Amino acid sequence: DVKVTQSSRYLVKRTGEKVFLECVQDMDHENMFWYRQDPGLGLRLIYFSYDVKMKEKGDIPEGYSVSREKKERFSLILESASTNQTSMYLCASSHQLSSYEQYFGPGTRLTVT
Amino acid sequence: DAKTTQPPSMDCAEGRAANLPCNHSTISGNEYVYWYRQIHSQGPQYIIHGLKNNETNEMASLIITEDRKSSTLILPHATLRDTAVYYCIVRVAGGSARQLTFGSGTQLTVLP
């Protein structure tokens, strides 16, 4: 079974803090994704990575950065957290970039106060 | 990408088969049908996908009509843990749009 794990299920941070969200997958997948999910807005892609040290912006990259130093790990960084970044953050991985067979982690519910 | 239409909600008795329909009348020849589900407060879960043949895996079966304008996801013996929102997505495999986007889906409630 594909396992995608995320470092926290719930996180509360203050405005202006730097926030790190970690994601690890154990299936040797080349591709990893960070989404956020908000009521009424559905899933929105923040960044994705198709190889170690490679990354591409998704639809809403502003205010976020990512890091992929190892194949199994993809980190999302909020440089200076703001209240409009309160959301559910979902990490996913897939074997082929063209595939929509993506495997998701359990999500991190981030609240920025 | 082709638009999909799903009923907003369905109920199913525990232990019975749950049949979830999806209309995709504008689907083109190279578009696949994907199904995902999302249990409340959890990440989405991939279920199954297919092009034109019926597909089965350990979770579900996917029946695609011959004209490919509709499909049905079948959970053969629904359990309470199958209560979730089910999403039908149509996508070209190998397309440039890599991200998943979900419509409103079908809320399946499995009743004891």
Side-chain angles (χ1 to χ4, degrees), chain A residues 2-6 21-35 45-58 66-76 90-97 99 101-105, chain B residues 98-99:
Chain A
V2 176
K3 276 268 170 35
V4 179
T5 56
Q6 295 182 228
L21 302 181
E22 298 276 321
C23 175
V24 178
Q25 51 94 4
D26 68 357
M27 282 302 291
D28 203 35
H29 283 169
E30 289 81 10
N31 311 295
M32 297 186 75
F33 307 80
W34 274 107
Y35 294 88
L45 182 67
I46 305 171
Y47 268 97
F48 68 95
S49 168
Y50 51 91
D51 202 350
V52 174
K53 297 192 188 293
M54 307 303 287
K55 61 187 179 187
E56 281 197 30
K57 294 179 181 178
V66 290
S67 171
R68 192 159 179 210
E69 298 296 319
K70 293 185 177 181
K71 191 175 185 180
E72 68 271 16
R73 190 177 298 268
F74 192 33
S75 302
L76 179 70
L90 292 159
C91 175
S93 72
S94 74
H95 176 53
Q96 294 176 305
L97 193 56
S99 170
E101 186 177 336
Q102 296 184 10
Y103 294 87
F104 285 79
Chain B
R98 299 172 179 89
Q99 66 269 33

Side-chain angles (χ1 to χ4, degrees), chain A residues 7 13 17 19 21 23 33 36 41 44 48 51 58 60-61 71 78 82 87 90 94-95 97-99 110 113:
Chain A
S7 49
K13 296 291 182 181
E17 279 193 83
V19 182
L21 302 181
C23 175
F33 307 80
R36 62 179 283 180
L41 296 175
R44 292 182 290 169
F48 68 95
D51 202 350
I60 51 163
K71 191 175 185 180
L78 286 66
S82 64
S87 185
L90 292 159
S94 74
H95 176 53
L97 193 56
S98 59
S99 170
L110 173 68
T113 61

Side-chain angles (χ1 to χ4, degrees), chain B residues 15-26:
Chain B
R16 305 295 292 267
N19 297 284
L20 294 106
C22 181
N23 283 325
H24 30 80
S25 58
T26 60

Side-chain angles (χ1 to χ4, degrees), chain B residues 1-110:
Chain B
D1 298 313
K3 180 178 161 56
T4 60
T5 304
Q6 299 177 254
S9 64
M10 292 181 64
D11 292 341
C12 175
E14 190 177 17
R16 305 295 292 267
N19 297 284
L20 294 106
C22 181
N23 283 325
H24 30 80
S25 58
T26 60
I27 193 170
S28 57
N30 61 349
E31 287 184 308
Y32 286 73
V33 180
Y34 286 80
W35 283 85
Y36 277 79
R37 73 180 182 184
Q38 189 166 21
I39 297 168
H40 183 62
S41 295
Q42 296 186 23
Q45 181 183 22
Y46 163 80
I47 302 173
I48 199 166
H49 74 279
L51 184 62
K52 51 182 162 183
N53 297 324
N54 298 337
E55 303 286 345
T56 296
N57 62 21
E58 64 279 1
M59 286 184 68
S61 295
L62 174 61
I63 308 298
I64 302 174
T65 58
E66 196 167 336
D67 64 7
R68 302 209 323 122
K69 294 186 177 184
S70 65
S71 59
T72 301
L73 179 75
I74 300 171
L75 308 178
H77 305 287
T79 70
L80 299 178
R81 285 179 291 184
D82 292 321
T83 292
V85 181
Y86 287 77
Y87 299 100
C88 168
I89 306 162
V90 173
R91 283 287 187 274
V92 176
S96 59
R98 299 172 179 89
Q99 66 269 33
L100 284 173
T101 53
F102 293 154
S104 50
T106 296
Q107 171 66 59
L108 174 69
T109 303
V110 181

